[in-house]
Short mmCIF file of all heavy atoms in Angstrom, two decimals:
data_model
loop_
_atom_site.label_atom_id
_atom_site.label_comp_id
_atom_site.label_asym_id
_atom_site.label_seq_id
_atom_site.Cartn_x
_atom_site.Cartn_y
_atom_site.Cartn_z
N LEU F 111 -21.06 -41.96 -27.35
CA LEU F 111 -20.37 -43.24 -27.10
C LEU F 111 -20.52 -44.18 -28.28
O LEU F 111 -19.62 -44.95 -28.59
CB LEU F 111 -20.90 -43.88 -25.81
CG LEU F 111 -20.40 -43.20 -24.54
CD1 LEU F 111 -21.00 -43.85 -23.30
CD2 LEU F 111 -18.87 -43.24 -24.45
N GLU F 316 -8.15 -12.49 -24.84
CA GLU F 316 -8.66 -11.22 -25.38
C GLU F 316 -8.85 -10.23 -24.25
O GLU F 316 -8.50 -9.05 -24.37
CB GLU F 316 -10.01 -11.43 -26.06
CG GLU F 316 -9.93 -12.11 -27.41
CD GLU F 316 -11.33 -12.48 -27.90
OE1 GLU F 316 -12.29 -11.76 -27.56
OE2 GLU F 316 -11.43 -13.50 -28.61
N LYS F 380 12.05 -55.64 -8.86
CA LYS F 380 13.33 -55.02 -9.24
C LYS F 380 13.16 -54.12 -10.45
O LYS F 380 12.52 -54.48 -11.42
CB LYS F 380 14.36 -56.10 -9.56
CG LYS F 380 14.79 -56.91 -8.37
CD LYS F 380 15.86 -57.90 -8.77
CE LYS F 380 15.80 -59.20 -8.03
NZ LYS F 380 14.53 -59.92 -8.03
N ASN F 388 16.03 -44.66 -7.41
CA ASN F 388 16.10 -43.38 -6.70
C ASN F 388 14.91 -42.50 -7.04
O ASN F 388 14.27 -41.93 -6.16
CB ASN F 388 17.39 -42.64 -7.09
CG ASN F 388 18.58 -43.19 -6.34
OD1 ASN F 388 18.45 -43.60 -5.19
ND2 ASN F 388 19.72 -43.21 -6.99
N GLY F 420 -28.01 -31.95 -1.90
CA GLY F 420 -27.08 -31.72 -0.79
C GLY F 420 -25.70 -32.27 -1.09
O GLY F 420 -25.54 -33.16 -1.93
N VAL F 425 -24.57 -41.85 -3.23
CA VAL F 425 -24.07 -43.15 -2.77
C VAL F 425 -23.17 -43.70 -3.87
O VAL F 425 -23.22 -43.26 -5.02
CB VAL F 425 -25.21 -44.15 -2.50
CG1 VAL F 425 -26.04 -43.71 -1.31
CG2 VAL F 425 -26.06 -44.34 -3.75
N ARG F 534 17.03 -36.19 -31.35
CA ARG F 534 15.69 -35.70 -31.05
C ARG F 534 14.75 -36.87 -30.83
O ARG F 534 14.89 -37.91 -31.45
CB ARG F 534 15.17 -34.84 -32.20
CG ARG F 534 16.02 -33.61 -32.46
CD ARG F 534 15.57 -32.92 -33.71
NE ARG F 534 15.54 -33.82 -34.86
CZ ARG F 534 15.16 -33.45 -36.08
NH1 ARG F 534 14.78 -32.22 -36.30
NH2 ARG F 534 15.17 -34.32 -37.07
N ILE F 644 26.06 -63.47 -29.47
CA ILE F 644 25.55 -64.46 -30.42
C ILE F 644 25.95 -64.07 -31.85
O ILE F 644 26.34 -64.91 -32.66
CB ILE F 644 24.01 -64.58 -30.29
CG1 ILE F 644 23.65 -65.11 -28.90
CG2 ILE F 644 23.45 -65.48 -31.37
CD1 ILE F 644 22.17 -65.02 -28.57
N ILE F 740 50.48 -66.63 -40.20
CA ILE F 740 50.90 -67.22 -41.47
C ILE F 740 50.29 -66.46 -42.64
O ILE F 740 50.95 -66.18 -43.64
CB ILE F 740 50.52 -68.72 -41.51
CG1 ILE F 740 51.26 -69.47 -40.40
CG2 ILE F 740 50.84 -69.32 -42.89
CD1 ILE F 740 50.86 -70.92 -40.24
#
Side-chain angles (χ1 to χ4, degrees):
Chain F
L111 285 178
E316 285 171 31
K380 292 183 215 53
N388 281 326
V425 293
R534 299 172 306 179
I644 296 169
I740 297 174

